[in-house]
Amino acid sequence: MSITANAGDIDRRLLMDRSVAGRKAFTLPESDVPSQDLPDSSFLRDDVVLPEVSQLEVIRYFSVLSQLNFSIDTNFYPLGSCTMKYNPKINDELSNLPGLADIHPLQPDDTVQGAIRLLKNLQDDLGEITGLPGVSLAPLAGAQGEYAGLLIARAYHEAKNDSKRTVAIVPDSAHGTNPASAAMAGLDVVTVRSDDQGNVDVDNLRELANENTAVFMLTIPSTLGLFEPNILEITKIVHDAGGLVYADGANLNALLGLVKLVDLGVDICHSNLHKTFSTPHGGGGPGSGPVMVTDELAKFLPKPVAIQTEDGYALGTPEQSVGTINGFHGSFSIAARAFAYIKALGLEGLQSVSENAIISANYIQAKLRDKYNLAADRYCMHETVLSATKQKKRGVAGLDIAKRLLDFGIHAPTMYFPLIVDEALMVEPTESESKETLDHFIAVMRQIDDEIDASPELIHEAPHDLPVTRLDEATAARKPVLRWTADE
Ligand SMILES: *Cc1c(COP(=O)(O)O)cnc(C)c1O
């Protein structure tokens, strides 16, 4: 038997398949306590098979596994609506300092003054960035920030005995969490149309805003990556009808130091620290979605809120708080990263983050618009939504293009969202990518378009060199294989 030479071979066996009886990966220290019998041997199961492997085998297994993932640290990741950008490693290190990492949420306030002061300073910074000075860092995700913000809107109307205001108006282009959060907060969702430019249809909004309107929710920038040109008119219509304006500011990457949400007529917003402010995300968590409000609404914020007192810093409860929305004061280590990130950049640095994010997205848009249709043919903000309708007519769908990008080491853009754009490919390059990386992406996108006529099978069968190719995603989600079973 001969062995084929292949220097790139990687051992992809599962841990169980590497098992050899008697091997082990650990050495326990000498016991220094008296041994005890196990409480009840009936708890012990001998049908559970565990892998028996050496330490080196474990290290190789997990190292290989870690390299199966796409990540910002390895590849360009232009995932629209989710800001997958480089998060400076020093902020991870800072948030792991013992004084920040080794404290407990139930410690008395006077033993964690520095930590509470950090929360208070971050609240102030987010208040400054958005112009909405009432801030609670409690929400654990963007969606929870929305939920908290909508509870505040409800509490505001109830405090005025205005109980018929039960409607949340949400554009058809909204992020999916918006109508879901509104429903969870007990509001009835009414949809306002987008016009053919991707803006809110102002006339339709005027028809819908009335004495039942509790709140109007708008994603800023819009899910098409656009600045809403009629924003002042829109917020005036809502305010004139007695409603509040909620901005989904999950992605502040285009607005830092350039626009204060309060100046647009926004009363309540949330922002995702795990997108814009230096926390890696993906795979479901952890997250942090602080909620920011006007002074007038601050008394309704969820608790706790960090406050400054005569003796120092404390965690307080706003007067008419909507209550607790999770166990403690939110994701502390994410707050620490965000604080370090904001302080390191300063206002000027934050502004250049947004300027560069916007320039990068517009650069890609300008270099691809002769090949790909645009959801809206005008300057974009931090992301651009391409539409592969011309490619679809030639036999290649948005999905195929996304799969082909993987062959070039590029993560797929967000696909088929927003729902109002056919064959949407939503590209967010972020400020952290170099011009060379953007040029590579542009060249690859242009080449894929050429391949449609020259060698379409290359696209239809993509990706070619990855450990897994085209997955049956629905079955994978519904019938996940979570247990190792021996080969027959
Ligand atoms: C990501 C995102 C959300 C939801 O944030 P989660 O932390 O995933 O709950 C809401 N709105 C917009 C516009 C987003 O991009």
Side-chain angles (χ1 to χ4, degrees):
M1 187 181 85
S2 81
I3 300 168
T4 323
N6 184 356
D9 256 356
I10 292 175
D11 184 352
R12 296 222 167 96
R13 282 175 305 153
L14 296 173
L15 210 48
M16 267 319 291
D17 294 328
R18 298 170 189 242
S19 182
V20 173
R23 295 240 165 103
K24 59 178 184 158
F26 63 90
T27 325
L28 289 181
E30 208 56 40
S31 170
D32 58 359
V33 292
S35 69
Q36 293 286 320
D37 288 336
L38 288 169
D40 183 350
S41 62
S42 68
F43 288 131
L44 299 178
R45 293 164 51 190
D46 48 20
D47 62 325
V48 181
V49 201
L50 294 174
E52 298 183 68
V53 283
S54 68
Q55 242 176 59
L56 176 57
E57 216 47 63
V58 174
I59 298 276
R60 287 205 177 132
Y61 170 70
F62 281 109
S63 299
V64 168
L65 208 56
S66 73
Q67 287 158 17
L68 292 181
N69 279 340
F70 261 84
S71 75
I72 286 290
D73 290 348
T74 54
N75 299 77
F76 181 40
Y77 210 130
L79 191 75
S81 184
C82 237
T83 308
M84 297 297 278
K85 67 178 183 181
Y86 175 67
N87 300 296
K89 300 292 174 258
I90 187 152
N91 298 331
D92 292 343
E93 238 168 84
L94 291 173
S95 76
N96 278 321
L97 290 173
L100 300 177
D102 297 343
I103 51 179
H104 194 279
L106 292 179
Q107 258 173 265
D109 286 357
D110 62 349
T111 66
V112 283
Q113 282 293 297
I116 303 177
R117 181 173 168 193
L118 185 154
L119 296 176
K120 172 72 169 90
N121 286 348
L122 178 60
Q123 286 172 196
D124 292 347
D125 287 346
L126 293 172
E128 179 66 26
I129 288 168
T130 56
L132 295 164
V135 181
S136 169
L137 301 171
L140 295 175
Q144 209 180 32
E146 291 168 25
Y147 176 66
L150 293 165
L151 291 183
I152 292 170
R154 278 192 56 173
Y156 165 79
H157 293 302
E158 274 160 23
K160 296 204 310 180
N161 285 325
D162 203 348
S163 56
K164 55 182 191 314
R165 292 194 179 269
T166 56
V167 170
I169 304 178
V170 182
D172 56 6
S173 65
H175 193 269
T177 49
N178 289 194
S181 300
M184 275 187 70
L187 297 165
D188 301 318
V189 177
V190 168
T191 306
V192 59
R193 281 192 304 269
S194 301
D195 66 16
D196 54 6
Q197 297 295 302
N199 304 321
V200 171
D201 184 328
V202 177
D203 292 329
N204 189 210
L205 178 66
R206 211 174 269 119
E207 287 156 23
L208 297 173
N210 58 28
E211 69 285 356
N212 298 323
T213 305
V215 62
F216 170 64
M217 293 183 88
L218 186 63
T219 301
I220 299 180
S222 79
T223 36
L224 294 175
L226 302 174
F227 188 76
E228 176 63 64
N230 306 315
I231 183 75
L232 293 176
E233 193 181 353
I234 288 169
T235 53
K236 182 166 188 311
I237 292 171
V238 177
H239 287 150
D240 286 350
L244 293 171
V245 174
Y246 185 100
D248 177 340
N251 307 296
L252 282 188
N253 228 39
L255 304 179
L256 300 172
L258 299 177
V259 180
K260 287 192 179 193
L261 291 172
V262 73
D263 294 336
L264 306 178
V266 170
D267 304 292
I268 312 171
C269 78
H270 82 272
S271 182
N272 286 12
L273 300 187
H274 52 285
K275 287 179 182 167
T276 304
F277 296 98
S278 196
T279 285
H281 71 285
S288 173
V291 58
M292 278 75 77
V293 298
T294 55
D295 266 331
E296 191 190 1
L297 296 173
K299 58 176 182 259
F300 300 112
L301 283 169
K303 66 176 183 180
V305 170
I307 49 173
Q308 193 166 7
T309 66
E310 279 162 20
D311 319 318
Y313 294 88
L315 293 169
T317 301
E319 239 173 286
Q320 287 168 261
S321 174
V322 296
T324 307
I325 54 166
N326 63 57
F328 297 105
H329 14 44
S331 299
F332 182 77
S333 78
I334 297 185
R337 284 180 180 83
F339 180 69
Y341 182 72
I342 291 171
K343 287 300 163 212
L345 285 171
L347 186 59
E348 253 175 57
L350 289 177
Q351 190 172 326
S352 71
V353 162
S354 287
E355 286 169 354
N356 285 313
I358 293 170
I359 289 170
S360 297
N362 279 286
Y363 181 65
I364 287 178
Q365 177 172 294
K367 294 277 187 182
L368 290 178
R369 57 190 287 242
D370 60 324
K371 293 269 185 190
Y372 293 84
N373 280 334
L374 299 176
D377 196 355
R378 61 184 220 236
Y379 287 121
C380 61
M381 297 206 67
H382 62 304
E383 59 196 359
T384 174
V385 181
L386 309 175
S387 164
T389 41
K390 284 198 278 191
Q391 288 71 20
K392 181 82 184 277
K393 287 204 190 95
R394 289 149 62 210
V396 159
L399 175 80
D400 298 315
I401 295 169
K403 293 288 183 196
R404 182 67 177 139
L405 280 170
L406 301 176
D407 281 337
F408 297 90
I410 297 171
H411 192 279
T414 298
M415 293 182 294
Y416 299 107
F417 181 80
L419 303 175
I420 55 173
V421 179
D422 286 339
E423 299 298 320
L425 290 172
M426 187 187 217
V427 177
E428 180 179 356
T430 82
E431 75 285 2
S432 46
E433 298 296 340
S434 67
K435 178 162 181 294
E436 292 75 29
T437 302
L438 303 184
D439 284 334
H440 173 65
F441 173 71
I442 290 161
V444 168
M445 286 294 282
R446 299 185 70 85
Q447 181 177 321
I448 293 174
D449 182 71
D450 293 340
E451 285 173 356
I452 298 176
D453 308 312
S455 40
E457 68 291 346
L458 271 180
I459 308 179
H460 284 126
E461 287 157 24
H464 297 272
D465 289 324
L466 293 182
V468 290
T469 55
R470 297 210 178 195
L471 303 176
D472 178 347
E473 286 166 24
T475 307
R478 287 188 194 134
K479 295 185 189 158
V481 179
L482 300 177
R483 282 187 66 167
W484 176 87
T485 40
D487 283 340
E488 301 293 279

